[in-house]
């Protein structure tokens, strides 16, 4: 069984994003970029499934600029076997990403595609669900536990009021939530080894997919800043302020 | 123009967040709603103020809101609607993007403001930026944040109920079980007051130090990711970029440092209180009132003061 894991290069989660002065987007030039944290969890899960013998190969794919190669090398240092970069200068929307991934799924024939539940830059939380729809596959989103048994995959999902279990026929889509696992750090020898693993580059145009965006960005603005308030000296003073000044209790 | 709202439900109740989706949809036109489950849910839906028609999908395959059959059903109904809307919760985020892909539409998640029928504001980068986006798709598929739209009144309406037929969908998924936390406390997303604990709470047992305070204030309890990951509380209490988004009248953070991912989930609260023993903790930069001190001393004192 083959597993495909799409990984996205995003602004590192430790960086406070800054809106560009002209309001056209968020500044990404010269900013530290890393693998989307949810995608690290997805890669880890796929590698663990292979280590357990439930899968034979883990293929990682990124759709993006040339530098997304670094993200793919990181995934291979974590244990993925090979990588595909679909090269584009655009920032494709989830619909376009899902269409590109569909063509790769048709080519590679994985039994499982494990994605992150959301990318922390655009926070869309959509790509996995959209790919599942396009393929007509089952979807186990926001997964906190994954078991592959007898041609099915059983998934525990984090939902609004608790946890839910669903069972899906393979092939299927999984999207990883925070509690699925704790991703490993890539060791130096594995980082070296990853440099020799195969990385194929495909120009997005060669896939014949309509990637035209459907959303136009009218503007990107900073939200209203909250100002720091005051420090109070005691619980009594706090309750007094909440009652008489803020009038919230 | 008419909008179709998918009303999600949990534990036999329509989720309060779905009522906010009704309010948002009413800004776009006439509101029809789609609800699954038993007749009582359809009845409840028909009483929501502002709803002009209820579509009821009573078939058992829809009861658990599985994405595969429900997205197919939405697609079959979509022809009559300009907008398809749901609350930005677990169900809306699971089902709507799938339906959107089948309609060849790019969905617009987490809408916080409606500019016009095709232009919407949504936060990106953990709420550090607000993007105004215009959709060129013929139909718009959106999820809306309940913290940004008032809930429609649950009573006052009397919409007709129409049964909808089952449509074909790939038989690839099966609901197995659900565990819902049976909390007597108010719903986190719609509570007036939220009392949250972080890693500073120390353990599952010590997290209960917040209970008397939550009781005294009639508050919902929330948590940081660190508190959830450490096993102090279950996942459904997580507030933040990748958890619940809340905007109560009063948000009280105990032993929470104030990482941007946590702030993303609560910084629109009207009044924020922080108690932290580290005077440099970033949470104080957004707090209206702060106490630098040990939460295990401050919390019991607050409970005493509230009794006065
Ligand atoms: C309003 C708006 C503003 C934008 N602003 C900017 C901007 O300022 N700067 C900028 O660079 N781009 C911008 N974009 C494009 C944006 O970066 C995303 O590429 C796109 O919208 C995808 O959304 P997402 O990554 O949140 O998807 P999600 O659905 O949240 O992603 C879920 C998962 O899908 C997979 N995935 C998603 N994208 C890829 C990919 N490219 N390759 C491999 N796997 C992937 C990953 O597994 C990921 O965890 C913007 C787009 C919109 C609509
Ligand atoms: C992809 C991604 C998504 C994330 N999503 C979320 C999210 O949705 N929500 C979220 O919350 N986080 C999220 N995080 C995690 C976030 O970055 C922080 O790690 C987390 O919020 C820290 O939790 P904390 O403040 O409880 O813990 P810490 O940062 O460890 O802070 C604990 C605080 O408690 C104080 N303290 C300790 N003991 C006491 C005491 N006795 N009295 C008073 N104060 C005390 C300390 O001074 C400290 O400030 C995410 C991270 C990533 C990478």
């Amino acid at each position: 069984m083959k597993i495909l894991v799409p990984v996205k290069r995003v602004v590192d989660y430790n960086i406070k994003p800054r809106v560009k002065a002209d309001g056209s987007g968020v500044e990404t030039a010269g900013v530290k970029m890393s693998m989307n944290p949810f995608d690290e969890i997805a890669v880890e899960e796929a590698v663990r499934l292979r280590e357990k013998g439930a899968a034979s190969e883990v293929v990682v794919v990124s759709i993006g600029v040339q530098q997304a190669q670094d993200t793919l090398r990181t995934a291979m240092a974590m244990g993925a076997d090979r990588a595909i970069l679909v090269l584009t200068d655009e920032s494709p929307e989830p619909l376009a990403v899902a269409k590109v991934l569909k063509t790769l799924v048709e080519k590679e024939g994985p039994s499982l595609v494990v994605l992150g539940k959301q990318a922390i830059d655009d926070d869309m939380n959509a790509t996995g669900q959209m790919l599942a729809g396009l393929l007509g596959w089952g979807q186990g989103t926001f997964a906190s536990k994954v078991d592959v048994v007898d041609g099915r995959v059983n998934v525990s999902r984090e939902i609004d009021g608790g946890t839910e279990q669903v069972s899906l026929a393979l092939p299927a889509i999984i999207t990883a939530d925070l509690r699925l696992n704790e991703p490993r750090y890539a060791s130096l020898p594995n980082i070296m080894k990853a440099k020799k693993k195969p990385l194929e580059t495909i120009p997005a145009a060669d896939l014949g997919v309509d990637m035209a965006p459907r959303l136009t960005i009218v503007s990107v603005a900073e939200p209203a800043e909250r100002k720091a308030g005051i420090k109070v000296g005691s619980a009594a003073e706090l309750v007094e302020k909440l009652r008489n000044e803020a009038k919230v209790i | 123009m008419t909008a179709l709202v998918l009303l999600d439900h949990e534990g036999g109740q329509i989720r309060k967040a779905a009522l906010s989706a009704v309010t948002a949809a009413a800004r776009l036109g006439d509101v029809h709603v789609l609800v699954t489950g038993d007749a009582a849910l359809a009845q409840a839906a028909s009483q929501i103020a502002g709803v002009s028609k209820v579509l009821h999908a009573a078939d058992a395959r829809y009861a658990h809101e599985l994405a595969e059959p429900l997205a197919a059903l939405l697609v079959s109904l979509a022809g009559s609607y300009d907008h398809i809307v749901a609350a930005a919760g677990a169900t809306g985020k699971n089902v709507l993007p799938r339906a959107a892909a089948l309609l060849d539409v790019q969905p617009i998640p987490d809408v916080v403001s409606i500019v016009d029928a095709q232009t919407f504001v949504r936060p990106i980068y953990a709420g550090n930026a607000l993007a105004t986006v215009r959709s060129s798709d013929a139909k718009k598929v959106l999820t809306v944040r309940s913290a940004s739209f008032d809930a429609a009144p649950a009573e006052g309406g009397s919409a007709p109920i129409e049964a909808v037929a089952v449509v074909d969908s790939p038989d690839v998924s099966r609901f197995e079980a659900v565990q819902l936390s049976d909390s007597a406390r108010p719903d986190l997303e719609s509570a007036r007051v939220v009392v949250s604990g972080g890693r500073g709470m120390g353990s599952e047992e010590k997290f209960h130090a917040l209970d008397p305070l939550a009781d005294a204030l009639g508050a919902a309890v929330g948590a940081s990711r660190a508190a959830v990951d450490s096993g102090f509380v279950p996942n459904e209490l997580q507030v933040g970029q990748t958890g619940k988004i809340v905007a109560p009248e009063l948000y009280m953070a105990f032993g929470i440092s104030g990482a941007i991912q946590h702030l993303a989930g609560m910084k629109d609260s009207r009044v924020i209180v922080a108690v932290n023993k580290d005077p440099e903790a970033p949470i104080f930069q957004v707090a209206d009132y702060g106490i630098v001190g040990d939460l295990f001393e401050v919390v019991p004192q607050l409970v005493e003061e509230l009794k006065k």
Side-chain angles (χ1 to χ4, degrees):
Chain A
M1 172 173 113
K2 194 190 281 188
I3 305 180
L4 191 70
V5 184
V7 296
K8 187 179 182 192
R9 178 174 177 270
V10 299
V11 171
D12 188 89
Y13 81 96
N14 280 309
I15 308 279
K16 183 165 163 53
R18 299 259 168 248
V19 172
K20 287 186 197 161
D22 65 359
S24 63
V26 165
E27 190 58 71
T28 51
V31 172
K32 182 179 179 210
M33 305 293 280
S34 299
M35 192 190 310
N36 180 36
F38 286 96
D39 302 352
E40 292 180 355
I41 300 173
V43 171
E44 177 67 33
E45 196 64 18
V47 171
R48 286 188 193 182
L49 284 168
R50 193 199 56 212
E51 287 169 349
K52 275 195 276 189
S56 50
E57 191 185 25
V58 177
V59 181
V60 287
V61 50
S62 195
I63 299 141
V65 294
Q66 196 72 45
Q67 293 90 320
Q69 283 196 8
D70 301 344
T71 312
L72 292 167
R73 293 280 174 212
T74 306
M76 290 191 285
M78 290 175 70
D81 299 291
R82 65 186 168 88
I84 303 169
L85 172 63
V86 178
L87 196 60
T88 171
D89 285 335
E90 312 294 323
S91 300
E93 292 169 356
L95 179 64
V97 172
K99 287 178 180 175
V100 168
L101 292 174
K102 179 170 182 268
T103 65
L104 294 180
V105 165
E106 283 159 356
K107 189 165 149 239
E108 294 281 340
S111 303
L112 209 53
V113 182
V114 188
L115 304 91
K117 107 165 161 177
Q118 82 192 59
I120 60 161
D121 50 0
D122 226 39
D123 287 335
M124 285 252 177
N125 192 335
T127 307
Q129 298 86 312
M130 299 186 82
L131 177 61
L134 294 179
L135 291 166
W137 292 8
Q139 63 188 59
T141 51
F142 329 144
S144 58
K145 193 168 186 301
V146 170
D147 285 310
V148 177
V149 265
D150 302 333
R152 296 187 76 85
V153 56
N154 298 326
V155 183
S156 284
R157 310 180 51 235
E158 295 195 358
I159 58 167
D160 296 320
T163 314
E164 171 185 275
Q165 285 78 40
V166 294
S167 169
L168 310 171
L170 290 176
I173 303 286
I174 305 287
T175 76
D177 214 321
L178 294 170
R179 258 73 59 178
L180 183 57
N181 60 50
E182 249 184 77
R184 70 194 69 187
Y185 289 102
S187 67
L188 198 57
N190 285 339
I191 293 173
M192 300 313 289
K193 252 191 255 165
K195 292 192 172 147
K196 300 200 189 74
K197 290 185 180 177
L199 192 159
E200 178 192 0
T201 300
I202 308 175
D206 290 8
L207 295 173
V209 171
D210 167 22
M211 293 177 70
R214 308 296 181 82
L215 303 181
T216 318
I217 300 171
V218 179
S219 67
V220 176
E222 300 256 4
E225 275 285 332
R226 254 195 116 94
K227 279 201 228 46
I230 55 164
K231 299 251 169 62
V232 296
S234 69
E237 194 183 336
L238 177 60
V239 170
E240 192 275 320
K241 296 267 190 222
L242 292 178
R243 277 191 177 132
N244 303 321
E245 193 174 271
K247 297 189 169 52
V248 277
I249 55 172
Chain B
M1 285 206 277
T2 312
L4 178 64
V5 178
L6 172 64
L7 286 184
D8 50 331
H9 52 86
E10 207 165 61
Q13 304 279 333
I14 291 170
R15 289 185 69 246
K16 187 101 185 281
L19 301 179
S20 297
V22 169
T23 301
R27 305 268 301 279
L28 296 161
D30 204 20
V31 181
H32 294 182
V33 298
L34 171 64
V35 66
T36 69
D38 59 24
L41 281 162
Q43 272 304 327
S46 76
Q47 283 160 28
I48 298 169
V51 170
S52 65
K53 193 203 268 185
V54 176
L55 303 178
H56 182 211
D59 192 84
R61 79 187 64 187
Y62 302 120
H64 296 288
E65 301 176 325
L66 280 176
E68 298 80 0
L70 196 46
L73 182 64
L74 275 172
V75 170
S76 76
L77 298 170
S80 329
Y81 299 99
D82 306 288
H83 295 85
I84 297 175
V85 185
T91 298
K93 290 190 167 190
N94 192 33
V95 178
L96 261 58
R98 184 177 178 109
L102 294 169
L103 292 165
D104 195 31
V105 166
Q106 169 58 44
I108 307 163
D110 290 300
V111 169
V112 295
S113 164
I114 296 172
V115 179
D116 58 39
Q118 47 275 331
T119 317
F120 307 90
V121 182
R122 61 178 302 266
I124 55 175
Y125 289 88
N128 283 288
L130 288 171
T132 303
V133 295
R134 187 183 305 118
S135 167
S136 61
D137 285 316
K139 285 184 198 305
K140 280 72 179 167
V141 176
L142 40 139
T143 62
V144 301
R145 288 219 176 150
S146 58
S148 305
F149 297 91
D150 291 334
E155 264 150 57
S158 58
I161 301 173
E162 197 175 285
V164 294
V166 166
V167 297
D168 275 345
S169 61
D171 179 21
V172 287
S173 60
R174 193 163 73 208
F175 168 82
E176 298 280 334
V178 64
Q179 300 83 37
L180 295 178
S181 57
D182 52 346
S183 171
R185 297 198 187 285
D187 171 47
L188 181 56
E189 285 164 295
S190 52
R192 220 185 64 82
V193 180
V194 174
V195 169
S196 274
R199 198 196 309 274
M201 299 306 303
S203 69
E204 183 181 358
E205 203 189 327
K206 291 201 282 183
F207 202 97
H208 288 292
L210 295 181
D211 289 352
L213 181 61
D215 290 343
L217 290 165
V221 172
S224 72
R225 174 186 173 186
V228 176
D229 286 3
S230 310
F232 304 170
V233 289
N235 61 263
E236 60 270 20
L237 299 194
Q238 181 178 316
V239 171
Q241 180 186 16
T242 56
K244 298 232 159 70
I245 310 294
V246 303
E249 288 288 298
L250 173 61
Y251 187 89
M252 304 182 84
F254 295 92
I256 293 178
S257 62
I260 58 170
Q261 293 86 4
H262 188 78
L263 301 186
M266 45 65 78
K267 70 177 160 53
D268 292 330
S269 306
R270 189 162 82 76
V271 176
I272 297 174
V273 168
V275 176
N276 195 305
K277 63 183 183 192
D278 172 9
E280 303 300 323
I283 188 82
F284 287 123
Q285 289 163 21
V286 299
D288 299 284
Y289 302 104
I291 294 185
V292 179
D294 184 344
L295 74 95
F296 295 104
E297 287 168 20
V298 175
V299 170
Q301 289 165 2
L302 284 171
V303 175
E304 278 310 306
E305 288 298 326
L306 286 166
K307 284 189 191 144
K308 288 185 190 163

